[in-house]
Amino acid sequence: MKEISLKFPKNFFFGAATAAYQIEGAWNEDGKGESIWDAFSHVPGNVDNGDTGDVACDHYHRMKEDVAIMKELHLECYRFSVAWTRIIPDGDGAVNEAGIKFYSDLIDELLKAGIRPLLTLYHWDLPLALQNKGGWLNPESVNWFTRYAEVVFKAYGDRVKDFVTFNEPFVFTDFGYVTGAFPPGIKGDYRSKILAGHHVLQSHGSAVRAFRKIVKDGRIGIVLDYAYNAPATQSEEDVAAAARANEFWAGWYFEPIVFGRYPQTAAKWFRERGQLPPVTEAEMKLIAEPIDFLGINHYFCNYVKADPNNPREGTAPVYPPVQHTLMNWPITEDGFYEMLTYFRKVLKVPLVITENGIALNDIVTVEGTVEDYDRIDYMKRYLSALSRAIEEGLDCRGYCYWSLLDNLEWAAGFKDRFGLVHVDYNTLKRTIKRSGRWYSALIDEKNK
Ligand code: NOJ
């Protein structure tokens, strides 16, 4: 690790992120429709410990308290997602005014607190009624999503200026159709994964086009997960192997958005197996519709070396001797820096780190505090890498820590705590952790 330096420009923003299903609860209140995650988590065995988002952090009823906490933390930005099923309960039918009002009130509350809202349209909670019509495998999904996006732009575009279309398309298509850990829970079906992804990417481009007509003074982007594959050594073989691995993973969505084409080696592999549908030029143009910023979620890197025995990527993993988090993710801030350097070279639009964080098993002490020094250490390491990359010329505009609150870590349930704020799931009491206090001091220091 290089020397810790945490210098950020004054106009760089620090925030925290959440997602609707992970914090809101109130899963069937005020006209909300059922989402694929409601249905999935209600099937025993799908989520660890039988946990569900039925109540989660009860943010739906505690929204004002949560914004007050953000204010106390001096946050400059809050990244949240809108539940499609609150806005259009069956996905493509009537608009639910109570759902519109909930986010409208949240936005007003944020603006009153001087916090900039960053709104994500889709953080994995597809209306169940649309899944029953084929979900992202149905080409109509592009129209469903565009209409939903238009409703949201019209309702909030006067006050929200920063929008994200999709969160982590790689994860929800891969886990939905290959590992089966997420709804619709299908395993090993690459063809469906790629088809769903192709519709998601077109939905993104189509929403960007709609946005330009409705919100004239705002910015829109997409959030991609990038678990960067870094070469284990700088040998030509390992460098080429890592680049190939990236094509099959994060690059599958990054390259269409940024370069206007699917990555070539991976596309050839999938095409030869009948897993990549024919792609037209018009579709690629839609997918690569210009965006205003790229959001990146990053938690860890994978190190790889060349290995001809792996017929697909031609790589084998190499495990670095580093600390691991509660979720067994390696802490690899040097790889984060390498990834940022790659972005500095290829990206033509500003970057925002829309998620980065660490899961720990935080407990409240008898004094009522949470002493999460390991989280502070993690943040220092990753923010130092970011600060260095910015000093070297990377155009990165902001950083959102994942997450504001401890919350439902999808199929892993509630045990992995990512928050700056501890949530007691019995009483729903919030406790600001030491890391939250540290973060707010860092924000003050930047603004001095
Ligand atoms: C990715 C997702 O966007 C978020 O929902 C999740 O909780 C975090 N990363 C941690 O896994």
Side-chain angles (χ1 to χ4, degrees):
M1 194 191 23
K2 304 289 168 312
E3 200 188 319
I4 300 272
S5 151
L6 299 176
K7 282 197 214 96
F8 291 90
K10 273 207 169 47
N11 60 359
F12 182 91
F13 65 83
F14 280 116
T18 63
Y21 185 67
Q22 296 178 274
I23 65 163
E24 284 179 2
W27 74 281
N28 58 358
E29 283 180 45
D30 295 340
K32 181 182 168 295
E34 200 171 340
S35 80
I36 52 173
W37 268 96
D38 293 318
F40 187 77
S41 71
H42 290 157
V43 175
N46 280 345
V47 176
D48 258 25
N49 193 40
D51 292 341
T52 74
D54 291 2
V55 177
C57 307
D58 197 33
H59 168 76
Y60 189 77
H61 298 116
R62 290 161 201 255
M63 179 274 281
K64 288 198 174 176
E65 182 193 343
D66 290 340
V67 176
I69 291 173
M70 294 179 219
K71 193 173 176 196
E72 193 176 337
L73 289 175
H74 301 180
L75 295 188
E76 299 171 303
C77 171
Y78 175 51
R79 174 176 175 238
F80 64 97
S81 81
V82 167
W84 187 338
T85 49
R86 288 199 196 282
I87 305 293
I88 308 174
D90 65 358
D92 64 348
V95 171
N96 173 34
E97 287 308 324
I100 297 274
K101 183 173 181 315
F102 171 68
Y103 297 105
S104 185
D105 291 349
L106 166 65
I107 292 160
D108 287 342
E109 201 66 19
L110 289 169
L111 294 175
K112 243 193 330 186
I115 299 166
R116 163 179 176 178
L118 169 52
L119 186 157
T120 303
L121 285 161
Y122 187 81
H123 203 123
W124 307 352
D125 44 359
L126 187 74
L128 183 62
L130 297 183
Q131 184 63 49
N132 293 339
K133 296 183 193 171
W136 295 112
L137 296 180
N138 187 334
E140 270 302 298
S141 55
V142 180
N143 297 327
W144 302 332
F145 183 75
T146 308
R147 167 156 180 263
Y148 158 59
E150 283 169 350
V151 172
V152 172
F153 298 150
K154 284 182 188 149
Y156 311 127
D158 56 337
R159 288 159 291 158
V160 177
K161 298 300 163 195
D162 297 286
F163 288 86
V164 161
T165 53
F166 285 90
N167 180 71
E168 299 197 349
F170 181 90
V171 171
F172 76 81
T173 55
D174 194 77
F175 288 27
Y177 292 99
V178 177
T179 74
F182 286 4
I186 291 159
K187 290 196 173 83
D189 185 353
Y190 277 95
R191 200 177 169 277
S192 292
K193 170 195 160 156
I194 286 170
L195 184 62
H198 193 52
H199 292 143
V200 165
L201 285 170
Q202 289 173 72
S203 303
H204 155 78
S206 169
V208 172
R209 281 185 188 166
F211 180 76
R212 300 289 177 221
K213 294 196 192 116
I214 299 169
V215 186
K216 302 283 181 196
D217 57 347
R219 294 162 294 266
I220 191 160
I222 186 167
V223 166
L224 304 178
D225 49 296
Y226 217 120
Y228 190 61
N229 284 285
T233 74
Q234 287 306 312
S235 76
E236 219 173 280
E237 294 77 26
D238 287 354
V239 170
R244 258 191 331 269
N246 282 321
E247 285 199 18
F248 283 89
W249 299 89
W252 187 256
Y253 293 91
F254 181 85
E255 295 203 14
I257 297 284
V258 175
F259 304 141
R261 55 161 167 71
Y262 280 115
Q264 284 157 354
T265 318
K268 184 166 175 277
W269 172 275
F270 291 128
R271 202 175 292 118
E272 282 171 1
R273 281 154 188 82
Q275 292 163 340
L276 176 62
V279 174
T280 69
E281 250 180 61
E283 287 167 357
M284 263 355 264
K285 198 157 177 278
L286 179 62
I287 290 170
E289 187 68 27
I291 49 177
D292 302 304
F293 66 92
L294 179 70
I296 288 286
N297 294 350
H298 179 84
Y299 291 83
F300 61 86
C301 283
N302 299 306
Y303 286 88
V304 295
K305 63 175 183 194
D307 181 0
N309 294 324
N310 170 348
R312 207 178 82 154
E313 291 99 327
T315 58
V318 172
Y319 297 103
V322 295
Q323 265 177 284
H324 285 64
T325 75
L326 184 62
M327 294 178 79
N328 208 22
W329 294 353
I331 301 180
T332 48
E333 70 278 13
D334 290 344
F336 179 46
Y337 169 76
E338 271 185 57
M339 180 187 83
L340 294 172
T341 304
Y342 167 66
F343 291 159
R344 174 164 62 74
K345 292 181 184 151
V346 303
L347 270 190
K348 305 258 183 318
V349 292
L351 181 73
V352 174
I353 300 300
T354 37
E355 282 184 33
N356 170 243
I358 178 172
L360 296 169
N361 180 20
D362 298 310
I363 48 158
V364 182
T365 64
V366 282
E367 287 84 20
T369 62
V370 180
E371 305 296 347
D372 56 337
Y373 288 100
D374 284 347
R375 179 164 293 106
I376 298 175
D377 182 60
Y378 177 96
M379 292 174 84
K380 276 188 188 159
R381 289 173 184 229
Y382 277 76
L383 285 171
S384 177
L386 180 58
S387 151
R388 186 172 158 215
I390 292 172
E391 264 177 23
E392 290 170 3
L394 174 73
D395 183 3
C396 179
R397 305 285 170 94
Y399 170 95
C400 289
Y401 178 78
W402 181 272
S403 175
L404 174 71
L405 303 168
D406 291 341
N407 59 48
L408 183 79
E409 181 53 22
W410 305 105
F414 288 113
K415 66 183 178 311
D416 304 297
R417 294 176 177 272
F418 275 94
L420 297 169
V421 177
H422 181 276
V423 176
D424 178 324
Y425 294 112
N426 293 316
T427 61
L428 295 166
K429 183 174 185 292
R430 277 83 164 129
T431 305
I432 297 179
K433 301 179 190 176
R434 185 168 286 275
S435 60
R437 304 283 177 205
W438 175 85
Y439 193 43
S440 84
L442 176 76
I443 299 170
D444 292 350
E445 184 63 33
K446 175 199 64 126
N447 290 329
K448 252 194 202 154

